Amino acid sequence: MVIDELLKIGVTLVEGNEYSNPILESILVLSNLLDVDKTYIYIHGKKEVNKDIEDRFIKIMKKRKTGYPIQYILGEREFMGLNFHVEEGVLIPRPETELMVEYIIDYINKEYPMENINVLDLGIGSGAISLSIGKYCANTMVYGVDIEYKPIYVGNINKDRFNLSNVNFYQGDLFEAIEDLDLKNKIHIIASNPPYIKTKDLESLQKDVRDFEPKTALDGGEDGLDFYRKISHKSKNYLIHGGLLIYEIGYDQGNQVKSILDGEGFTNISILKDLQGHDRVVLGFME
Ligand code: GLN
């Protein structure tokens, strides 16, 4: 079969699904299998593809049809200009999360241009937040924590990929993971994109997210706010005076998370909106 014919089959297989982009995904999967870039596929439509690649392509596109995320298939996802390795068991980095990371990087450059500071990231996934901060702010030490083993494993693959010695990952339940590190009142910034979906809403998530991304990275408990309460309360033992606590939130959680921070005594609390105009980040400062 030639490239064009195979692409047509790919499109037919995944077409009509809310979560797929049939032509683009067919091209991406095929270029990945052939180990060529996308332009090669555009130019060489009449080129013969061997049977082995053909079979693998069809098998993958059938899997994609079930909703299996394209990023797990390709093993990659771009975030903050960096190409992260991703695989099953870690949340795929979302573009809206760049808002929080951009804020943090600007804040560090402005407040601490010369100092060596400590940043704590709770719930690392693929390491996207920790490693972007580590990459763009060379003077920071980033401590990334996750309760699951897989994110620590994938985070370390990405740490090696970007060659960042100022970022380290620890497995454990939130602050327990860094208990032995003598970081009490020594952290300048605590950042988190915690699980924030209400347990009862997990079932109605888009199929690719619902069936294949890790529930532990999504389930925020009955009202979706469990982690904001836990983290905000314990943060006070770890932040320096004036330290920043910053979260990604669900589009409808702005006021609730703001009042959690208020209740814990944080000041100058603000909500940032994403490119879609939704509340996406809440931040506050410790007294
Ligand atoms: N933004 C993710 C989603 O809607 C949720 C991520 C999270 O819970 N932190 O799938």
Side-chain angles (χ1 to χ4, degrees), residues 32-85:
N32 191 266
L33 285 174
L34 292 170
D35 199 19
V36 295
D37 58 39
K38 275 192 301 187
T39 18
Y40 179 96
I41 303 284
Y42 292 124
I43 299 168
H44 297 92
K46 300 286 171 279
K47 204 173 163 69
E48 198 65 37
V49 178
N50 77 38
K51 183 82 174 91
D52 174 52
I53 300 276
E54 191 179 308
D55 291 346
R56 281 161 65 196
F57 175 79
I58 291 172
K59 197 169 157 209
I60 290 172
M61 294 313 283
K62 282 187 176 155
K63 192 165 185 187
R64 175 64 185 137
K65 189 185 168 72
T66 68
Y68 192 76
I70 185 77
Q71 296 83 1
Y72 291 159
I73 292 170
L74 302 172
E76 287 189 339
R77 171 63 172 212
E78 189 271 342
F79 183 84
M80 293 297 293
L82 299 168
N83 202 1
F84 284 85
H85 169 73

Side-chain angles (χ1 to χ4, degrees), residues 91 94 96 193-197 205 209 213 217-218 248 280:
L91 191 79
R94 313 287 206 254
E96 58 268 28
N193 172 18
Y196 57 64
I197 311 286
L205 287 174
V209 180
E213 291 201 75
L218 297 165
E248 176 172 317
R280 187 55 63 194

Side-chain angles (χ1 to χ4, degrees), residues 25 86 173 209 228 241 269 279 286:
E25 293 183 2
V86 292
D173 190 2
V209 180
Y228 300 112
H241 288 295
I269 302 166
D279 290 351
M286 200 170 110

Side-chain angles (χ1 to χ4, degrees), residues 153-165:
Y153 168 77
V154 171
N156 279 319
I157 292 177
N158 285 316
K159 170 183 153 122
D160 290 346
R161 182 179 274 206
F162 309 130
N163 200 13
L164 294 171
S165 56

